C-alpha cells in the first residue's frame, strides 16, 4: 500500500485545513499556497484516481459532482466566474496524485496558470 495522500490525511483530520464544502463523495479546501484571490481545491474523497483522465473514464458522475461543487463555491465567492484547472502529470505541474481541481477566481488579470 502506498502512503495516504495529503488530501486523504486532511479528510481524516490528520493535517489541519479549512474544509469549505463537503458532500458524500467530494470535499473542498483552501489551497495552502493561493495563486489567486480565490484558490480552492475540490477533491473526491476516494484516492483511487490519480488524475482527471482516470476519474473521467471510471466515474463520470463523480467528475460531474466535483464540477458542481466547484460551481457552487464560485457562485458564493467570485460571482460564478472561475478557472477550473486539473494539472495532469508531473511535467504539467501535478504534485499530488490524488485527483483534484483547482478553482481560481477573483481578479485573474495578472495571473498565469497554476503550476
Ligand atoms: P497540484 O500541484 O498537484 O496540481 O496541486 C496540489 C496543490 O495542493 C498545490 O496547489 C498545493 O499548494 C496544495 N497543497 C499541498 N499540500 C497542502 C496542504 O497540506 N494543505 C492545503 N490546504 N493545500 C496543500
Amino acid at each position: 500500500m502506498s502512503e495516504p495522500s495529503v488530501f486523504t490525511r486532511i479528510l481524516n483530520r490528520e493535517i489541519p485545513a479549512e474544509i469549505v464544502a463537503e458532500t458524500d463523495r467530494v470535499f473542498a479546501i483552501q489551497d495552502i499556497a493561493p495563486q489567486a484571490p480565490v484558490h480552492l481545491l475540490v477533491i473526491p474523497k476516494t484516492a483511487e484516481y490519480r488524475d482527471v483522465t482516470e476519474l473521467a473514464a471510471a466515474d463520470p458522475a463523480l467528475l460531474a459532482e466535483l464540477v458542481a461543487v466547484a460551481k457552487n463555491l464560485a457562485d458564493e465567492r467570485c460571482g460564478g466566474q472561475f478557472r477550473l484547472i486539473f494539472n495532469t502529470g508531473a511535467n504539467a505541474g501535478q504534485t499530488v496524485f490524488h485527483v483534484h481541481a483547482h478553482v481560481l477566481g477573483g481578479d485573474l488579470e495578472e495571473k498565469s496558470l497554476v503550476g
Side-chain angles (χ1 to χ4, degrees):
M1 286 286 286
S2 57
E3 292 288 305
S5 76
V6 64
F7 300 143
T8 296
R9 297 186 67 202
I10 287 170
L11 186 62
N12 292 339
R13 310 301 199 268
E14 295 166 11
I15 296 175
E18 186 187 350
I19 295 182
V20 297
E22 185 167 5
T23 68
D24 284 351
R25 300 214 291 164
V26 172
F27 69 109
I29 59 175
Q30 304 267 11
D31 197 291
I32 202 169
Q35 305 292 310
V38 174
H39 188 171
L40 305 172
L41 302 173
V42 186
I43 309 161
K45 290 182 177 177
T46 177
E48 76 185 286
Y49 309 117
R50 287 169 55 84
D51 61 42
V52 68
T53 68
E54 290 188 3
L55 173 60
D59 195 341
L62 180 55
L63 175 58
E65 184 172 333
L66 186 155
V67 173
V69 170
K71 180 207 178 325
N72 288 342
L73 286 164
D75 283 346
E76 288 170 15
R77 291 164 187 251
C78 47
Q81 301 186 57
F82 61 107
R83 286 187 193 156
L84 191 64
I85 295 174
F86 294 88
N87 292 329
T88 305
N91 288 346
Q94 187 175 5
T95 58
V96 180
F97 291 86
H98 173 164
V99 61
H100 54 281
H102 296 259
V103 178
L104 298 176
D107 178 8
L108 301 176
E109 289 291 312
E110 304 291 321
K111 304 290 179 182
S112 63
L113 298 178
V114 167

